[in-house]
Amino acid sequence: MSVILTFLLVIFCFGGWWLTKNHFLSKPWLEHGAPAASVDSDASHRQTAKIGLGVFLAVIGSLFAIFTSAYFERMGLPDWRSFQLPRLLWVNTGMLIACSAALHCALIDARNGFLVPARSGLAIAGVAGLAFVFGQLAVWVQLVNEGLGVSATPAVTFFYLLTGLHGLHILGGLVALAMTCASAWRTTAISELAPKIELCTIYWHFLLAIWLAMVVVITGWAEDIVVTCSQLF
Amino acid sequence: MVEFTPKAAGAVPPAEVPDVELYHPTNWWTKYVFSQDAKVIAIQYSGTAILVGLIALVLSWLMRLQLGFPDTFSFISAEAYYQFITMHGMIMVIYLLTALFLGGFGNYLIPLMIGARDMAFPYVNMLSFWIYFLAVLVLVSSFFSPGGPTGAGWTLYPPQAIMSGTPGGQDAGILLMLISLVLFIIGFTMGGLNYVVTVLQCRARGMTLMRMPLTIWAIFTATVMALLAFPALFVAGVMMLFDRLLGSSFFMPALVELGERLEYGGGSPILFQHLFWFFGHPEVYIVALPAFGIVSDLISVHARKTIFGYRMMVWAIVIIGALSFIVWAHHMYVSGMNPWFGFFFATTTLIIAVPTAIKVYNWVLTLWRGDIHFSIPMLFALAFIVTFLNGGLSGLFLGNVVVDVPLSDTMFVVAHFHMVMGVAPILAIFGAIYHWYPKIAGKMLDDTMGKIHFWITFIGAYAIFFPMHYVGLVGVPRRYPEIGDMSFVPESINELNAFISIAALIVGAAQVLFIFNLLWSIRHGKDSGGNPWRATTLEWQTPTTPPPHGNWGQNLPVVYRWAYDYSVPGADEDFLAQNDPWPDKPDGAQA
Ligand code: HEM
Ligand SMILES: [Cu+2]
């Protein structure tokens, strides 16, 4: 359970920092009066969407952290056998990185007011994202053809489970991306577009990070790293 | 007095807090059914939760009938008994308490108490309710599925949960239960995002975090905990679904059933226990914290006194929330884990008692020399404090490994957790409903019926669960439909069991009176006016009661003070509303 506990520790540290920023030591019974109104109501509106996304990502993070904990616990049991990962996985990983990069470029373009390059960035990201999904499906097909069905070994089951769950989140991201694309092609007001692209980009970067973490876990590198580190002491 | 801003408080510019863009309903369907108004959603959540809660109540009657009068009711077989305890436990904990505290009170109170028009994401909020509703339908449908609902116990421990010896294990029962839980978690996450973001972003001008009523602090913290803890249940549920449907072996060891070796092998049932209790223990506080917050506000209002140690109360809430993530294995003392772990978890468990005790002391000190009005909400709040204290004390015993090991899986544990997380939160819920019903309906609940309801429920709950401690101490095991002749159990336990069962029937019947009161008072109750308890918090200061869509009419409230200014010397009344600029002039009325 160490993975999820570490994750929680990070969250709690963040929470503690946030509390200190919000004057948790103040004495409200002595205070009186109201602060001046905030001027930029638009900015705080955008902030709301971003914070909503942030909280959502924390929940997804905790979901994958718990899965990883369960993975390591199960891995410690005697019947664990690892299996050969299909090569295609690396191509897919490349696709996901490409998708994140394209979105990032789109975001920078949109911020600088270039509509057309932003649109093409979004389109490339969409294609790369779809390619990732189909690539993952192809990996599943390969595994099944090799005789590694869902219940073959615990490692294989976990592989399907983690890639499947990650894939579902990717599908959700694709829907959001499609909606952003739709509004990118409809409007010419780039200032409205940039915040939407920003939300998409944050989400996709996060899913990329989760994916890389999952790769480290599934390939067994995580274990190697832990072993190497423990030998240092 | 310390000024809040360097600016003189009298000359604040008019409210310019950004308004949430409200979706305005256009017809009956979008107004009452697929509504995006948090208040309507709150009532939908509460109504659904109370209805399934009634099912769970009837199940508890059936269980008590069997325990009190074994061999009398032929329709309650051992299998049926297991199904009853499972559904009763799961419904009470998840579908009633969690949904009612967070979905019901969270939705109603958060926007009103912090001075917002609505939740941050109303559409997602609506989806949250309907997914919850779907989860309830799936759950209830398992009663009608072939083989009936699952009888695995509310903890759903594998391997038995998905084996043929357990009711519903190889039928649809366990599947429907797991699917329903997964749906519940998805729906809750949508709602939870709303509660958190609304508290963070939509507070009225002047409503700093440390000015929020404790109810909001508690619901906020509980929601954060739930958002982090429910994924563990999600993971456990999905992995169990894989084991059951696809034949994987996450949790399933090698097993022989009816002389045949099953295809499972190598999995770990203990892993499931870890995942389940990683969710399960925080869950206890997910239902306890909102009760803490609500009770703090109730006693402050009804004793006309400032809450004692507000800051300490806030910190205690947050600390309890954080600590409750590192105590889960105290539910697993008998699972054969490393004794050092037992030592660690016993220690953390006892440490949590410190902030919890601080809360109890502060409640008592708030009451000390208060002008206590024994209104019905106050009665329930006081009953909560006693009951929670009672259950908490037996929890201190059970937190120690050496005490827990012999008592584990006896009725003593059942008595303990019913006191602390069954009866106590329910009492807080009743208190809250009597307190806020006037805001929701514009009418008071009937006092006489309320008093009868209170006394029967309070005394009755003790009649049920107090003797149950003794039943457990002499060794009557939990989850047994009947105990047969056990030589170590004295004969007289049978009479005690019959007594408990009769008390349970009476308490259950009293709840019918409560439901009747709720419905009757909508029409026949006394008009309550906007602020019948003369309370300070913002929800009582709405321009009209019940509050309309958008809550505040033209202008959002501006907050000048914290939530607990009762009996302030020099003020005209014995309370100062949070949006009362006293001793300065109101906004706009510059002299
Ligand atoms: C009138 C009130 C209630 C009565 C008479 C009652 C009675 C019972 C009985 C007889 C059992 C089974 C004991 C056994 O044989 O193991 C039980 C189990 C349980 N009850 Fe209640 N109960 C009541 C209210 C509640 C409430 C409000 C909660 C909310 C937390 C709750 C949560 C549970 C849980 C979690 C279990 C354990 C189920 C299991 O063992 O799997 N009960 N209750
Ligand atoms: Cu616990």
Short mmCIF file of all heavy atoms in Angstrom, two decimals, chain B residues 255-288:
data_model
loop_
_atom_site.label_atom_id
_atom_site.label_comp_id
_atom_site.label_asym_id
_atom_site.label_seq_id
_atom_site.Cartn_x
_atom_site.Cartn_y
_atom_site.Cartn_z
N LEU B 255 -8.78 -23.36 -4.55
CA LEU B 255 -9.93 -23.77 -3.75
C LEU B 255 -10.47 -25.10 -4.24
O LEU B 255 -10.43 -25.39 -5.44
CB LEU B 255 -11.05 -22.74 -3.88
CG LEU B 255 -10.86 -21.40 -3.20
CD1 LEU B 255 -11.76 -20.39 -3.83
CD2 LEU B 255 -11.15 -21.55 -1.73
N VAL B 256 -11.00 -25.83 -3.29
CA VAL B 256 -11.71 -27.05 -3.66
C VAL B 256 -13.16 -26.86 -3.24
O VAL B 256 -13.44 -26.49 -2.10
CB VAL B 256 -11.12 -28.27 -2.96
CG1 VAL B 256 -11.95 -29.50 -3.25
CG2 VAL B 256 -9.69 -28.47 -3.41
N GLU B 257 -14.07 -27.06 -4.17
CA GLU B 257 -15.49 -26.91 -3.84
C GLU B 257 -16.21 -28.18 -4.27
O GLU B 257 -16.08 -28.59 -5.42
CB GLU B 257 -16.06 -25.69 -4.56
CG GLU B 257 -17.43 -25.29 -4.06
CD GLU B 257 -17.88 -24.02 -4.75
OE1 GLU B 257 -17.94 -24.01 -5.99
OE2 GLU B 257 -18.16 -23.05 -4.05
N LEU B 258 -16.96 -28.77 -3.38
CA LEU B 258 -17.68 -30.00 -3.65
C LEU B 258 -16.76 -31.04 -4.29
O LEU B 258 -17.10 -31.67 -5.29
CB LEU B 258 -18.87 -29.73 -4.59
CG LEU B 258 -19.87 -28.69 -4.11
CD1 LEU B 258 -20.90 -28.42 -5.20
CD2 LEU B 258 -20.56 -29.13 -2.84
N GLY B 259 -15.56 -31.14 -3.74
CA GLY B 259 -14.63 -32.14 -4.23
C GLY B 259 -13.96 -31.80 -5.55
O GLY B 259 -13.15 -32.55 -6.06
N GLU B 260 -14.28 -30.65 -6.10
CA GLU B 260 -13.67 -30.29 -7.37
C GLU B 260 -12.74 -29.11 -7.18
O GLU B 260 -13.09 -28.18 -6.47
CB GLU B 260 -14.75 -29.87 -8.35
CG GLU B 260 -15.03 -30.87 -9.45
CD GLU B 260 -16.13 -30.35 -10.34
OE1 GLU B 260 -15.80 -29.57 -11.24
OE2 GLU B 260 -17.31 -30.69 -10.10
N ARG B 261 -11.59 -29.14 -7.85
CA ARG B 261 -10.68 -28.02 -7.74
C ARG B 261 -11.15 -26.92 -8.68
O ARG B 261 -11.38 -27.16 -9.86
CB ARG B 261 -9.28 -28.48 -8.12
CG ARG B 261 -8.25 -27.38 -8.00
CD ARG B 261 -6.92 -27.93 -7.54
NE ARG B 261 -5.76 -27.04 -7.59
CZ ARG B 261 -5.70 -25.79 -8.03
NH1 ARG B 261 -6.75 -25.21 -8.52
NH2 ARG B 261 -4.56 -25.11 -8.01
N LEU B 262 -11.32 -25.71 -8.15
CA LEU B 262 -11.74 -24.59 -9.00
C LEU B 262 -10.55 -24.09 -9.80
O LEU B 262 -9.39 -24.37 -9.46
CB LEU B 262 -12.31 -23.47 -8.15
CG LEU B 262 -13.53 -23.84 -7.31
CD1 LEU B 262 -14.04 -22.63 -6.57
CD2 LEU B 262 -14.62 -24.41 -8.19
N GLU B 263 -10.84 -23.35 -10.86
CA GLU B 263 -9.72 -22.93 -11.71
C GLU B 263 -8.94 -21.77 -11.11
O GLU B 263 -7.96 -21.32 -11.68
CB GLU B 263 -10.25 -22.54 -13.09
CG GLU B 263 -11.41 -21.57 -13.01
CD GLU B 263 -11.91 -21.16 -14.39
OE1 GLU B 263 -11.07 -20.71 -15.17
OE2 GLU B 263 -13.12 -21.28 -14.64
N TYR B 264 -9.40 -21.27 -9.96
CA TYR B 264 -8.67 -20.17 -9.33
C TYR B 264 -7.39 -20.68 -8.71
O TYR B 264 -7.24 -21.85 -8.42
CB TYR B 264 -9.52 -19.54 -8.24
CG TYR B 264 -10.78 -18.89 -8.73
CD1 TYR B 264 -12.02 -19.35 -8.33
CD2 TYR B 264 -10.71 -17.79 -9.58
CE1 TYR B 264 -13.19 -18.74 -8.77
CE2 TYR B 264 -11.86 -17.18 -10.02
CZ TYR B 264 -13.10 -17.66 -9.62
OH TYR B 264 -14.23 -17.04 -10.04
N GLY B 265 -6.48 -19.72 -8.41
CA GLY B 265 -5.28 -20.12 -7.66
C GLY B 265 -4.33 -18.96 -7.47
O GLY B 265 -4.14 -18.15 -8.37
N GLY B 266 -3.76 -18.88 -6.27
CA GLY B 266 -2.66 -17.94 -6.04
C GLY B 266 -3.06 -16.56 -5.59
O GLY B 266 -2.20 -15.76 -5.22
N GLY B 267 -4.34 -16.22 -5.62
CA GLY B 267 -4.74 -14.86 -5.26
C GLY B 267 -4.77 -14.65 -3.76
O GLY B 267 -4.61 -15.58 -2.97
N SER B 268 -4.99 -13.42 -3.35
CA SER B 268 -4.90 -13.10 -1.94
C SER B 268 -6.17 -12.44 -1.42
O SER B 268 -6.45 -11.29 -1.74
CB SER B 268 -3.73 -12.16 -1.71
OG SER B 268 -3.86 -11.53 -0.46
N PRO B 269 -6.95 -13.15 -0.59
CA PRO B 269 -8.13 -12.53 0.02
C PRO B 269 -7.75 -11.34 0.91
O PRO B 269 -8.52 -10.40 1.04
CB PRO B 269 -8.73 -13.65 0.86
CG PRO B 269 -8.15 -14.90 0.34
CD PRO B 269 -6.83 -14.56 -0.22
N ILE B 270 -6.55 -11.41 1.48
CA ILE B 270 -6.11 -10.32 2.36
C ILE B 270 -5.97 -9.02 1.56
O ILE B 270 -6.24 -7.93 2.07
CB ILE B 270 -4.76 -10.68 3.01
CG1 ILE B 270 -4.89 -11.95 3.81
CG2 ILE B 270 -4.28 -9.54 3.89
CD1 ILE B 270 -5.70 -11.81 5.05
N LEU B 271 -5.54 -9.14 0.30
CA LEU B 271 -5.42 -7.94 -0.53
C LEU B 271 -6.76 -7.23 -0.62
O LEU B 271 -6.86 -6.01 -0.51
CB LEU B 271 -4.91 -8.34 -1.92
CG LEU B 271 -4.91 -7.24 -2.97
CD1 LEU B 271 -4.06 -6.07 -2.50
CD2 LEU B 271 -4.36 -7.77 -4.28
N PHE B 272 -7.83 -8.04 -0.78
CA PHE B 272 -9.15 -7.41 -0.82
C PHE B 272 -9.43 -6.69 0.49
O PHE B 272 -9.94 -5.56 0.51
CB PHE B 272 -10.25 -8.45 -1.07
CG PHE B 272 -11.62 -7.85 -1.09
CD1 PHE B 272 -12.16 -7.36 -2.27
CD2 PHE B 272 -12.37 -7.72 0.07
CE1 PHE B 272 -13.42 -6.77 -2.28
CE2 PHE B 272 -13.62 -7.13 0.07
CZ PHE B 272 -14.15 -6.65 -1.11
N GLN B 273 -9.09 -7.33 1.59
CA GLN B 273 -9.39 -6.70 2.88
C GLN B 273 -8.67 -5.37 3.01
O GLN B 273 -9.23 -4.39 3.50
CB GLN B 273 -8.98 -7.62 4.02
CG GLN B 273 -9.76 -8.92 4.03
CD GLN B 273 -9.58 -9.67 5.33
OE1 GLN B 273 -9.05 -9.17 6.30
NE2 GLN B 273 -10.05 -10.92 5.34
N HIS B 274 -7.41 -5.35 2.54
CA HIS B 274 -6.69 -4.07 2.60
C HIS B 274 -7.41 -3.01 1.77
O HIS B 274 -7.62 -1.89 2.22
CB HIS B 274 -5.26 -4.24 2.08
CG HIS B 274 -4.32 -4.77 3.10
ND1 HIS B 274 -4.03 -4.09 4.25
CD2 HIS B 274 -3.62 -5.92 3.17
CE1 HIS B 274 -3.17 -4.78 4.98
NE2 HIS B 274 -2.91 -5.91 4.34
N LEU B 275 -7.77 -3.37 0.55
CA LEU B 275 -8.43 -2.38 -0.32
C LEU B 275 -9.75 -1.95 0.29
O LEU B 275 -10.08 -0.77 0.36
CB LEU B 275 -8.66 -2.96 -1.71
CG LEU B 275 -7.41 -3.25 -2.51
CD1 LEU B 275 -7.75 -3.95 -3.81
CD2 LEU B 275 -6.67 -1.95 -2.81
N PHE B 276 -10.52 -2.94 0.77
CA PHE B 276 -11.84 -2.60 1.29
C PHE B 276 -11.72 -1.67 2.49
O PHE B 276 -12.42 -0.66 2.58
CB PHE B 276 -12.61 -3.87 1.70
CG PHE B 276 -13.99 -3.56 2.19
CD1 PHE B 276 -15.03 -3.44 1.29
CD2 PHE B 276 -14.24 -3.31 3.53
CE1 PHE B 276 -16.30 -3.10 1.73
CE2 PHE B 276 -15.51 -2.98 3.97
CZ PHE B 276 -16.54 -2.87 3.06
N TRP B 277 -10.83 -1.99 3.40
CA TRP B 277 -10.78 -1.16 4.62
C TRP B 277 -10.03 0.13 4.40
O TRP B 277 -10.19 1.08 5.16
CB TRP B 277 -10.21 -1.96 5.79
CG TRP B 277 -11.21 -2.97 6.25
CD1 TRP B 277 -11.12 -4.32 6.15
CD2 TRP B 277 -12.50 -2.70 6.84
NE1 TRP B 277 -12.26 -4.91 6.63
CE2 TRP B 277 -13.12 -3.93 7.06
CE3 TRP B 277 -13.19 -1.53 7.18
CZ2 TRP B 277 -14.40 -4.05 7.62
CZ3 TRP B 277 -14.45 -1.64 7.74
CH2 TRP B 277 -15.03 -2.89 7.95
N PHE B 278 -9.21 0.17 3.34
CA PHE B 278 -8.61 1.47 3.01
C PHE B 278 -9.71 2.46 2.66
O PHE B 278 -9.59 3.66 2.90
CB PHE B 278 -7.64 1.33 1.84
CG PHE B 278 -6.84 2.57 1.62
CD1 PHE B 278 -5.72 2.81 2.38
CD2 PHE B 278 -7.23 3.52 0.68
CE1 PHE B 278 -5.00 3.97 2.22
CE2 PHE B 278 -6.51 4.68 0.52
CZ PHE B 278 -5.40 4.90 1.28
N PHE B 279 -10.77 1.94 2.08
CA PHE B 279 -11.97 2.76 1.91
C PHE B 279 -12.82 2.76 3.18
O PHE B 279 -13.32 3.79 3.62
CB PHE B 279 -12.79 2.23 0.73
CG PHE B 279 -14.27 2.33 0.95
CD1 PHE B 279 -14.94 3.53 0.77
CD2 PHE B 279 -15.01 1.22 1.38
CE1 PHE B 279 -16.29 3.62 1.01
CE2 PHE B 279 -16.36 1.32 1.62
CZ PHE B 279 -17.01 2.52 1.44
N GLY B 280 -12.96 1.58 3.79
CA GLY B 280 -13.96 1.39 4.83
C GLY B 280 -13.75 2.23 6.06
O GLY B 280 -14.70 2.79 6.61
N HIS B 281 -12.51 2.37 6.50
CA HIS B 281 -12.38 3.20 7.69
C HIS B 281 -12.61 4.67 7.42
O HIS B 281 -13.38 5.31 8.13
CB HIS B 281 -11.09 2.99 8.48
CG HIS B 281 -11.19 3.76 9.74
ND1 HIS B 281 -11.82 3.27 10.85
CD2 HIS B 281 -10.91 5.05 10.02
CE1 HIS B 281 -11.88 4.21 11.76
NE2 HIS B 281 -11.34 5.30 11.28
N PRO B 282 -11.99 5.26 6.40
CA PRO B 282 -12.36 6.66 6.10
C PRO B 282 -13.87 6.83 5.96
O PRO B 282 -14.43 7.84 6.37
CB PRO B 282 -11.64 6.94 4.79
CG PRO B 282 -10.44 6.07 4.85
CD PRO B 282 -10.89 4.82 5.52
N GLU B 283 -14.54 5.81 5.45
CA GLU B 283 -15.99 5.89 5.29
C GLU B 283 -16.68 6.18 6.63
O GLU B 283 -17.64 6.95 6.69
CB GLU B 283 -16.51 4.59 4.68
CG GLU B 283 -18.01 4.42 4.68
CD GLU B 283 -18.74 5.42 3.80
OE1 GLU B 283 -18.11 5.98 2.90
OE2 GLU B 283 -19.94 5.66 4.05
N VAL B 284 -16.16 5.58 7.70
CA VAL B 284 -16.75 5.84 9.02
C VAL B 284 -16.72 7.34 9.30
O VAL B 284 -17.69 7.93 9.79
CB VAL B 284 -15.97 5.09 10.10
CG1 VAL B 284 -16.48 5.46 11.48
CG2 VAL B 284 -16.07 3.61 9.89
N TYR B 285 -15.61 7.98 8.97
CA TYR B 285 -15.51 9.41 9.25
C TYR B 285 -16.19 10.24 8.18
O TYR B 285 -16.56 11.38 8.43
CB TYR B 285 -14.04 9.80 9.43
CG TYR B 285 -13.57 9.39 10.80
CD1 TYR B 285 -12.89 8.21 11.00
CD2 TYR B 285 -13.90 10.16 11.90
CE1 TYR B 285 -12.51 7.81 12.26
CE2 TYR B 285 -13.53 9.78 13.16
CZ TYR B 285 -12.83 8.60 13.34
OH TYR B 285 -12.49 8.21 14.60
N ILE B 286 -16.38 9.66 7.00
CA ILE B 286 -17.13 10.38 5.98
C ILE B 286 -18.55 10.60 6.46
O ILE B 286 -19.17 11.62 6.17
CB ILE B 286 -17.10 9.61 4.63
CG1 ILE B 286 -15.70 9.66 4.04
CG2 ILE B 286 -18.11 10.19 3.65
CD1 ILE B 286 -15.47 8.67 2.94
N VAL B 287 -19.09 9.65 7.22
CA VAL B 287 -20.42 9.90 7.77
C VAL B 287 -20.37 10.56 9.14
O VAL B 287 -21.33 11.19 9.57
CB VAL B 287 -21.29 8.62 7.82
CG1 VAL B 287 -21.43 8.02 6.46
CG2 VAL B 287 -20.77 7.63 8.80
N ALA B 288 -19.24 10.44 9.83
CA ALA B 288 -19.19 11.05 11.17
C ALA B 288 -18.89 12.55 11.09
O ALA B 288 -19.47 13.34 11.83
CB ALA B 288 -18.15 10.35 12.03
#
